[in-house]
Structure formats: C-alpha cells, structure tokens
Amino acid sequence: MKAYEALAEAFVKEGTSDVFGMMGDANMHWMNALAQRGVRLYEVRHEGSGLGMADGWARTTGQPGVVTTTSGPGVSQLATSMVCASRARTPLVAFCGETAWGDEGATQYLDQRRFAAAIECEFVHLSRPDQAEEAVQRAFYLARTESRPVMLSAPMDIQQGTVEDADEYVPSTALLDRPRLLPDPSRIAAACDIIALSKRVVIIAGRGARRAGVGEQILGLQQRTGALLATTLQAKNWLCDRTEFHVGLSGLFGSKLAMELLQEADCVIGVGASLNSYTTEAGYLYPDAKYIQIDTSPHLVMGNGSVADCYIQADAVTGVTELDRALEQRAVRIEGFHTEEVLHRLTEPLQAPAEYLSELGLIDPREAIRVLDAELPGEIGLVLGSGHQVDFGTMLFQRSREVLSNYGMFGAIGQAPLLAIGQVVANGGKPGFVVEGDASFLMHLPEFETACRYELPLLVVVMNDEGLGAEFHKSAAKGLDPELALIPTPELGQVAVALGGGGATVRTIEELRAALAEYVRAPRPTVIDIRITRSVLSVPYRRLQYGEDV
C-alpha cells in the first residue's frame, strides 16, 4: 500500500473518528484515505480554526484531537491556536503535509521543524515510507503521555512511497502502563498533621480532579473536615449541586462572599489544581493558610511563588481516598465552615443590583446572563470565551452544567466559538452554547458557516458592546481615549441567517427570552446578538482597575 494509506490506517487504529482542517496538495491523499475508512472530515475555513475545533474536541473527550493542513502556509496558519492548545496542555496531533523533502526552493517550503518549536508543539518527521506507522504511533504516544500538541510532518513525496505489508499495528494506548500513582505514606501523615490542627479548611478542586472523576471522594473529605468547596475557573460550578457548602470560584472571578469566607481559611487542600495566580489571587487570597496539594505532577510551584507545605504526588482518586482514610483512623472530624451561620450566607439568593441599568435599546449584561442561565437547560453545555464582556458570565452563571473556559490560555480572543464547535462534535451533536464578545466572534465569523454546513446545533451568544470592551474600560481607567476602542458591528442575527443558520439581534429582555425559547424549541446553528450597555463595569475589572469590590 501507499504510505499515505498506512498513515490513515494507523490514525484509525489510534481511535481517530473526527478530523478538522483544510485540504491541499500535501494532505489530500491522506484525507481521502481517511474518508474511505469512515472517518468524519470537517472542512473548515481557516486552518487555525480547525485546530481550535480539534482542541475543543480533545478537551471534551480527553483523547487526542486531530487537525490537518497542507504544507507551508497551511501550517503557518496554526500558530495562535497551537500556542493556546499547548498552554492548555491539550493532547493533539496535527497531520501537516510538507513539500517534497529537501526541496527548499518549493513555493510552499517552510522549515516546519523550526516552526513547530516556535509555536510550542512537539515535532515528528516522516522521513521514509516504511516509517509511516512508527511516526503515527510516536505522535500519539507523545500527545497522550505529555498532554500536549504534536505536529506530524509528512513530505508529499514520502507519502506517495510504497509500504510493504507490515505486522499488525500497535496503537500507542498499548504502550501505556499507568498504574495508580500511590501517595507517600509520610506525606499523607504530614497532611493529616496539618489538617488536625486546622479550624477552617478549604478544598479547591481543579480540572484534573474533574477529569479524574474524584467527586465522591472530595465530598467525603469535605464532610470530614468541615471544608468549603471551591473550584478553579477550569472546573467552574462542578459539584455545586451536590453540596450546600460550595462557595463557587476561588480567585479573581469569585464572588465577594467567596472572598470574605476564603480569607478565613487556615488550610487549603488543592486537588488536581495548579493553584496558579488566578486561583490564589497571586497569594493574597489565603494569607494565613497552610497548603496541601495533591497532583500527578512530580512538583508544582503555586501562584504565590511558593511550594505547598505538603505536596502529595498521587492520582486524585487515590490521594484523596488515602488522606480521608488516614484522617478517619485518627478520628479527625472538624466542624469548620459547616455551621448554620455560614450555610445561611451561602444559601441566600444572589442579590440582583438594586436596579438593572436601563438604556434605550441596550441590555444590562448582568441581567442578560441571569436570563441565559435561567432559560437554557442545564444539560446544554457552556463554553466561556475571554475579555471584559465574558467576565459577567464567568462570574454569574450559577446553574450546574458542563463548563469549558478559555480564560488564561495565551490570552487570545476568538478561540471559544472554535472550541465550542469541537465540543458539539465530540458530544455527538448535542446542543451547546458559547458566550463571546463581538470582536472575538467576528474574528472567526466564517466558521459559523462551518457549523451551519454540518448542522451543528451550536448557540453563539454575542455580548455585543460594539467595541473592544477590555480596551475600552482599561483606556478609561488609564486616562486614555476609550472611544478609540469602539468598532461598530452589523446586525449579527441577520449575518447568521445569511450564512445559513438562525439568528436574532435583541435589544430587550423580552426579545432575548423569545430568541432563547426558539433555540430551545428547535436547536440549530444560531447567533443571538445581545446589544449590551458599555456603562456597566464587571466586578473583576472594578477590582483590577479601581480597587473596588461592589
């Protein structure tokens, strides 16, 4: 068989079911071979967008996502999305065609090895046809074991070479031997010593805990230690429907109540959470606390620049189970935060502003988020973008639902709708929604047409202030001209209809409710363009720019 056929067969045996990307001379034979083997191909409008979709697919499934490009310019288009995926530690394999090996005079020649290093991904090169299977196995092995993107670069002439019949392909999963990582008993004992002397314990659950499915064990440990349960941004709202003593997010995006309660902690137990500067407010949030950290990494430095007082290297399930068992043997049981007074504060309904800001034809973004959370069923997953207008949703969405946040991943706007498309594909076409700003959505507008073409029931909610919201408010705070950050936008609801989907531009709460009801009744690719006022500043920006917390 041809090398490109062997490559395609190996991808299938690695579990590849969906591939995102654009076809060109250097990957078209491979893509045809995949299609013949039943793989679903999603042709996108920009290669970087395809990588963003593969990123969302991988974050949802926990398996390596796959993107493909042709040689040279197709590869160079990956830059921003690749760095985002790398910073998010997403397992990905990018099958990138390459010009004929050694032909540096080719129009589309690019030193793809050097480029891969610059955009923070691993690199595997196919240098002989008979190495096709080995190259695929290595790429997937690196993606799985290092949890990062890998570029598999395949020259056009090598792909056309002939491969002799080989032994049965061994997928990278067969090479993985991952027994549970057992914690050091002395570290467990040291953690117990810290907890036994504590009066106010906080458990912070991160993305690693959520992926490990350690919820039951965390709830048991919480009960024993009287702990408040907080989450990182990447695990927002996880377990909020399972415990009354859930305080929401830890860090900049936490509520004022969360800030007040978490300041009282004298012990913080981090589970599958890096305890970065977002989560710990650069060390200011837990001034008197000792830290216990459970993570699979050999070592982590926290966001306050220090290491934990007790670091336990273990998988989340085993680490939490062993810690809870050791505490039980010592008969440790702490009332902690589990008091009527704390419960009363936590269960008080969120207070809406005394009155929402009313401007003609514009909606208060806080009210818009409240309506979205109420009207969209909890089984509809959410992807949160980045930027000022998304801060409202990052703080105020309260319903228990699957949440994927793109905050802090290279600080690149525009990625969230791409992640959301990948998430919908990964979830078998179940409805999902994404909340983004207008500049962010317009950056990759053509990909809404991709969602329409494949009939993906994605709802894009655009918090539209007709400008670069973050820069508008930062400019005002720094004494610069905020008007320079304003960019008028067309009626995005009509644009969505023109691209083949559903759409509405809404300027009142009644219009928003009607548009949401239409989507819930018959989910399909839809854009709801919510025209919001620029006169409301989000709480995180009040904290960062003015030192206020109101």
Side-chain angles (χ1 to χ4, degrees), residues 362 389 436-439 462-467 487 489-490 492 529-533:
L362 299 175
Q389 303 311 329
E436 260 296 17
D438 46 305
V462 182
M463 302 286 282
N464 191 346
D465 62 357
E466 292 199 275
I487 310 174
T489 60
L492 296 179
D529 176 6
I530 306 178
R531 296 301 170 117
I532 61 173
T533 175

Side-chain angles (χ1 to χ4, degrees), residues 206-250:
R207 179 172 59 175
R210 188 172 197 162
R211 284 180 174 175
V214 69
E216 293 297 333
Q217 292 83 356
I218 284 177
L219 293 172
L221 180 63
Q222 181 196 22
Q223 192 66 32
R224 183 175 305 283
T225 58
L228 284 179
L229 177 58
T231 71
T232 66
L233 188 52
Q234 298 302 322
K236 178 177 169 61
N237 290 353
W238 187 47
L239 300 175
C240 69
D241 57 344
R242 300 287 307 280
T243 172
E244 295 176 306
F245 291 95
H246 197 297
V247 75
L249 291 174
S250 171

Side-chain angles (χ1 to χ4, degrees), residues 265-350:
D266 56 6
C267 174
V268 173
I269 305 172
V271 183
S274 64
L275 301 180
N276 60 31
S277 58
Y278 293 101
T279 304
T280 66
E281 274 289 76
Y284 290 108
L285 190 53
Y286 301 99
D288 301 317
K290 289 187 176 296
Y291 284 89
I292 298 166
Q293 194 169 14
I294 301 173
D295 203 282
T296 55
S297 298
H299 181 260
L300 287 174
V301 176
M302 301 184 299
N304 60 4
S306 303
V307 296
D309 297 276
C310 179
Y311 190 87
I312 301 171
Q313 186 186 9
D315 70 84
V317 172
T318 305
V320 175
T321 299
E322 287 301 302
L323 180 57
D324 191 44
R325 183 187 61 78
L327 290 169
E328 182 180 21
Q329 289 181 342
R330 294 193 187 192
V332 173
R333 185 165 289 276
I334 304 167
E335 180 185 46
F337 285 102
H338 291 197
T339 66
E340 288 297 324
E341 187 259 335
V342 172
L343 181 61
H344 176 71
R345 295 176 69 187
L346 287 170
T347 54
E348 283 184 331
L350 280 179

Side-chain angles (χ1 to χ4, degrees), residues 353-366:
E355 58 182 34
Y356 288 113
L357 189 63
S358 177
E359 288 187 32
L360 183 63
L362 299 175
I363 298 174
D364 187 315
R366 298 166 295 182

